[in-house]
Amino acid sequence: MNELLHYIQSFSLVGAIQFAGTFAFAISGIRLAAAREFDWFGAFVVGLVTAIGGGTIRDLLLDVTPFWMLNPEYVLCTVFALITVIVFSKKLVRLNTPFFIFDTIGLALFVVAGMEKTLWLGYPFWVAIVMGTVTGVAGGILRDVFINEIPLIFRKEIYALACVIGGLVYMGCNKLHLSETVCELVAVFVILATRILAVKYRWGLPKLKDK
């Protein structure tokens, strides 16, 4: 337990940005729940699952205590996101592009955070890439299931693939013996660029056709 707490403290350099990413994920879930006319509690649950779902699944697979159980800030962040949507619901409708960027930044940081936690626990890189991707996308999958939508990663739009590409880049930088900070920054940039360009130019993988 002490070692895990030490890990969490050592990752505090990006803690504020991760908190912002958590807020963006929570907002995205709550906004979709509001569109389906969920009540306040239902919207809070959807927002919370979106924000912490990926990290929870990752930690359960890695056999450690889920991160949000060690720090109440993530639950409080979701409460704040719910209040924000309630108070500024009309204005938030106009913020699709800024929140897309915000959500993408959160996605990139959570992928890197998930990878580093997995590597710190002694797992190989291929496991770290899987866990990083799970950290980034699983919350969104649960959100879409809760609101009865086809999960985003199962549609044509590139989402999870951007996480995998970023993970491979992180691994490549590490193999080149670059510093941890450089590995983090390059991986985050690649995920951001891949995600933004994929949406802008409508990149996607070919659909599997049943013939």
Side-chain angles (χ1 to χ4, degrees), residues 55-151:
T56 299
I57 293 175
R58 174 205 64 211
D59 289 347
L60 292 175
L61 290 172
L62 296 177
D63 197 26
V64 296
T65 304
F67 68 102
W68 58 269
M69 296 177 68
L70 302 172
N71 190 339
E73 289 183 358
Y74 296 96
V75 176
L76 295 175
C77 180
T78 305
V79 173
F80 181 58
L82 176 63
I83 294 172
T84 302
V85 172
I86 292 171
V87 175
F88 301 106
S89 58
K90 292 183 179 179
K91 293 182 179 180
L92 286 174
V93 172
R94 307 189 191 114
L95 295 177
N96 285 326
T97 299
F99 269 101
F100 163 75
I101 299 297
F102 206 21
D103 178 83
T104 303
I105 292 172
L107 174 71
L109 288 168
F110 286 161
V111 170
V112 172
M115 286 190 63
E116 292 197 334
K117 185 170 187 177
T118 305
L119 293 171
W120 181 85
L121 290 170
Y123 290 90
F125 257 112
W126 70 270
V127 177
I129 293 173
V130 173
M131 291 298 103
T133 302
V134 167
T135 306
V137 307
I141 295 175
L142 294 174
R143 173 201 64 208
D144 292 343
V145 170
F146 276 27
I147 65 173
N148 198 28
E149 288 277 358
I150 298 174

Side-chain angles (χ1 to χ4, degrees), residues 8-28:
I8 295 172
Q9 293 170 357
S10 70
F11 206 72
S12 61
L13 290 177
V14 295
I17 305 177
Q18 286 190 94
F19 187 85
T22 299
F23 179 75
F25 282 139
I27 285 283
S28 71

Side-chain angles (χ1 to χ4, degrees), residues 168-188:
L168 291 172
V169 169
Y170 184 102
M171 181 179 67
C173 291
N174 181 270
K175 297 297 184 182
L176 293 174
H177 304 292
L178 300 179
S179 70
E180 185 175 288
T181 301
V182 172
C183 293
E184 293 169 357
L185 292 175
V186 173
V188 167

